[in-house]
Amino acid sequence: MFILATKLMMVADSFYIPKINPEKPLGEDAHFFCRTAQVIGVADGVGGWARKGIDAGEYARELMRNAADSVKYSCPSAVDPKSVLFHAFKKTSKPGSSTACIINLDGNRLRAANLGDSGFSVIREGTTIYRSPVQQHEFNTPYQLGIRSSPDGPVEAAEMVVEVESGDIIVVGTDGLFDNVFPEDVEATVDRCLKDGTPPAMVARELAKTALRNSLKRDTVSPYEVAAYEAGVTHSGGKPDDITVVVAYVLPMGITFA
């Protein structure tokens, strides 16, 4: 007996909370989701550029616009995440630099290219089965794309392939999420929301709000504090930052949420 594999797709939505800064109301993160090409991208402009009067958020937004433009007429099988990064990088001319993560679902294969400390996790039945690795030169200095401003480039992006199943949850985010919410707390929030039949947009909102609350606390341990301790740096509590969360449900083709 032959069993035909069910075609899978990502049903995704997002929530973004920029760090409060009247001079940069849009923050420094950027993201997109292309449903037809089954591609998600997130980017985090490097805040250190502010000392030179440069808004790195403009670089991140242009980078993601160029990435989205490069896939908008593509089918999932034609997308190569690292090639998307190369294309977007070559077309981006704003000053600044940014981390970047591009993921694509083709069949049951989740393909990704990740540069820096943005990234994604795959959750199955309440447990994280995969978390993309962080790339950094030293603590709080991630790999980053930038025109004439960074030693890093798309070639350094880590490539990965993860086999997914219907029912898996993919959480994509900038470090504003992962620096402030431990994996087990992401799992708990996702699990609770799934039991309530919550759509991706509301799951992304709950995760972003949790990250925001934790970022403002000084009396609780955060992933950022743990990483700082391991690097020999003194830091207490969370890390105020822009917070981007994209949540994707892996479902059989044709299933939608209201």
Side-chain angles (χ1 to χ4, degrees):
M1 181 176 65
F2 295 95
I3 300 176
L4 296 177
T6 302
K7 290 186 177 180
L8 300 176
M9 67 175 184
M10 293 187 293
V11 175
D13 217 322
S14 62
F15 201 81
Y16 176 42
I17 305 176
K19 185 169 60 176
I20 297 176
N21 184 343
E23 296 181 359
K24 300 178 185 177
L26 298 179
E28 293 171 328
D29 284 4
H31 68 281
F32 74 93
F33 172 52
C34 180
R35 183 183 179 90
T36 54
Q38 289 288 284
V39 177
I40 295 170
V42 299
D44 178 4
V46 176
W49 284 99
R51 293 190 293 268
K52 297 184 178 182
I54 292 173
D55 181 358
E58 293 186 358
Y59 182 90
R61 288 187 287 274
E62 185 180 15
L63 184 72
M64 289 295 97
R65 283 196 300 270
N66 289 332
D69 286 345
S70 75
V71 301
K72 64 182 177 182
Y73 299 120
S74 301
C75 63
S77 61
V79 174
D80 174 65
K82 198 161 190 175
S83 295
V84 172
L85 269 187
F86 268 102
H87 175 88
F89 173 70
K90 288 179 180 178
K91 293 198 67 177
T92 301
S93 59
K94 293 286 187 182
S97 59
S98 172
T99 67
C101 180
I102 304 290
I103 73 169
N104 155 249
L105 180 62
D106 175 29
N108 73 328
R109 294 195 312 154
L110 186 69
R111 301 177 296 185
N114 186 51
L115 186 85
D117 57 4
S118 294
F120 69 97
S121 59
V122 179
I123 299 172
R124 179 177 300 160
E125 297 180 351
T127 300
T128 300
I129 64 165
Y130 186 82
R131 169 74 171 93
S132 59
V134 170
Q135 293 178 313
Q136 56 182 2
H137 297 286
E138 57 186 24
F139 175 68
N140 208 31
T141 307
Y143 285 27
Q144 54 199 265
L145 298 174
I147 303 299
R148 300 182 303 277
S149 59
S150 171
D152 310 318
V155 69
E156 276 84 29
E159 294 182 276
M160 55 217 80
V161 178
V162 183
E163 290 192 1
V164 296
E165 301 175 358
S166 178
D168 288 353
I169 309 298
I170 303 165
V171 178
V172 192
T174 55
D175 64 333
L177 170 66
F178 297 115
D179 279 345
N180 289 300
V181 186
F182 285 104
E184 56 267 32
D185 295 323
V186 173
E187 295 166 353
T189 298
V190 168
D191 189 56
R192 172 173 53 80
C193 289
L194 284 179
K195 289 177 180 176
D196 293 339
T198 307
M202 296 304 294
V203 183
R205 180 175 181 270
E206 286 301 307
L207 288 172
K209 287 174 62 180
T210 299
L212 176 63
R213 287 194 298 270
N214 291 348
S215 75
L216 301 176
K217 294 178 180 178
R218 290 292 169 264
D219 58 351
T220 188
V221 177
S222 71
Y224 186 78
E225 179 178 337
V226 172
Y229 176 81
E230 293 174 347
V233 176
T234 300
H235 179 88
S236 297
K239 178 192 177 187
D241 205 349
D242 302 304
I243 300 165
T244 295
V245 184
V246 185
V247 171
Y249 290 179
V250 179
L251 299 171
M253 193 72 73
I255 301 296
T256 60
F257 275 82

